[in-house]
Amino acid sequence: MAGFFTSRLFFVSLALVIIAATLPLYVSGYVLGLLTVAFYFGVFAMAWDLLFGFAGEVNFGPTFLIGVGAYTAGILNAQFGWSVYLCIVLGALASVIAGLVLALPALRVRGPYFGLTTLVAVLMLQNFIVVFADLTGGEIGLTIPDVITINAGANYWIALGFMTISAAILYGLSQSPVGLVLQASGQDPVQAGALGFNIVKHKLAAFIVSAFFSGLSGALLVFYFGTASVGTVVDVAVGVNVIVSAVLGGRRTVLGAALGAIFLIVAGEFLRPTGELATFIVSAVALLVVLFFPGGFLGAALSREARS
């Protein structure tokens, strides 16, 4: 990890963050709003990459953790009038608890069964939201009375700061001994277990960390939108975007997942005038990257740097 601070990746990342921090000084509120959403999705993708990219657990339901954090925070504010910041903290805590409840039985199964378990959890959450519409707003959505701020620049800086701090923590964790154990267990769990590593304990820790950042980002996002709905935080399509973002940016890179999310959100928005063709173009680009650059954007760049 110490070598990271002298690497080209660190200086490029630092330069990008500094440039990004100055954008509110000369770009429109529309662009700031688009990037604000992209930054939160960047955290979603990085949290997912820690669990799948390193731990090797196929997670088809990242929106379960996101949705629990988002809806818990939104309901507490809408129904009880609690402060925004308290609701955000409790939303993240609820996501951790829900992740722990899901992970304990799910980690006992292997292969695609873990992914199916997480996918079923998403469907159950969707049904819960629809059935208890008086509490959650149902299919219409939950209107949240409070927001963090209405200032576009402030919202942008909050999202950028949150993504930067999350990236530093998640990347640091991935490069720590815990991250190395996760990577070893993801590649060969039998051999890693034979070396004396507690695979289940490390994967459970990764699941909890992923749940915390997913829930916290989800709670922040709904207080930016001012509303929570199935389509914005729980829908399976949202989860697919998170997964594609991580794969585009580079699996097992963490930082690349944020790049992939920003690319996906920005490209999708600027291609919106093309209608349904936008989805086709973005999907085609994602497919080409997966086929010809399995390591993703950042993975390809890092491998090229290593060869040079």
Side-chain angles (χ1 to χ4, degrees):
M1 184 63 188
F4 171 72
F5 296 102
T6 59
S7 66
R8 183 184 302 176
L9 178 60
F10 170 73
F11 290 107
V12 171
S13 301
L14 182 62
L16 289 175
V17 170
I18 292 173
I19 293 172
T22 65
L23 289 183
L25 302 178
Y26 49 84
V27 302
S28 66
Y30 166 75
V31 175
L32 294 180
L34 181 63
L35 290 176
T36 298
V37 175
F39 292 158
Y40 286 125
F41 267 80
V43 178
F44 294 157
M46 288 189 292
W48 183 87
D49 189 38
L50 180 69
L51 187 61
F52 176 63
F54 287 86
E57 293 295 348
V58 182
N59 176 12
F60 292 132
T63 51
F64 172 73
L65 302 174
I66 297 168
V68 169
Y71 267 92
T72 299
I75 290 171
L76 291 176
N77 182 257
Q79 300 292 337
F80 304 103
W82 292 2
S83 72
V84 170
Y85 301 104
L86 178 60
C87 292
I88 290 173
V89 172
L90 293 177
L93 180 61
S95 187
V96 169
I97 295 173
L100 184 61
V101 171
L102 175 63
L104 286 175
L107 287 175
R108 296 181 181 273
V109 297
R110 295 182 179 180
Y113 297 104
F114 179 87
L116 290 175
T117 302
T118 57
L119 182 59
V120 169
V122 174
L123 299 178
M124 291 177 63
L125 180 59
Q126 290 180 352
N127 288 332
F128 176 87
I129 292 171
V130 173
V131 171
F132 295 94
D134 291 340
L135 179 67
T136 63
E139 296 178 337
I140 298 175
L142 177 69
T143 300
I144 301 170
D146 298 321
V147 293
I148 299 175
T149 176
I150 60 173
N151 184 282
N155 276 314
Y156 173 85
W157 277 317
I158 290 171
L160 176 63
F162 175 63
M163 185 187 70
T164 303
I165 294 172
S166 300
I169 295 173
L170 290 170
Y171 183 80
L173 182 62
S174 71
Q175 300 302 307
S176 70
V178 174
L180 295 178
V181 173
L182 287 174
Q183 188 169 350
S185 64
Q187 293 177 346
D188 192 337
V190 176
Q191 186 173 357
L195 292 173
F197 297 119
N198 191 326
I199 305 303
V200 174
K201 183 184 73 173
H202 283 85
K203 287 188 176 182
L204 181 61
F207 204 103
I208 292 173
V209 172
S210 179
F212 174 78
F213 282 99
S214 296
L216 185 58
S217 188
L220 286 166
L221 184 62
V222 297
F223 279 114
Y224 169 67
F225 283 147
T227 182
S229 66
V230 171
T232 55
V233 292
V234 185
D235 194 74
V236 174
V238 177
V240 171
N241 284 335
V242 171
I243 295 171
V244 171
S245 297
V247 174
L248 274 177
R251 184 185 166 199
R252 292 180 186 162
T253 62
V254 176
L255 301 181
L259 275 179
I262 294 171
F263 169 80
L264 200 65
I265 297 295
V266 173
E269 184 65 23
F270 278 94
L271 289 172
R272 181 174 290 185
T274 63
E276 294 297 326
L277 190 60
T279 303
F280 172 78
I281 294 173
V282 173
S283 300
V285 171
L287 180 61
L288 290 174
V289 170
V290 171
L291 291 176
F292 297 102
F293 303 98
F297 296 144
L298 188 57
L302 290 176
S303 62
R304 190 180 301 113
E305 180 182 354
R307 288 195 300 269
S308 62

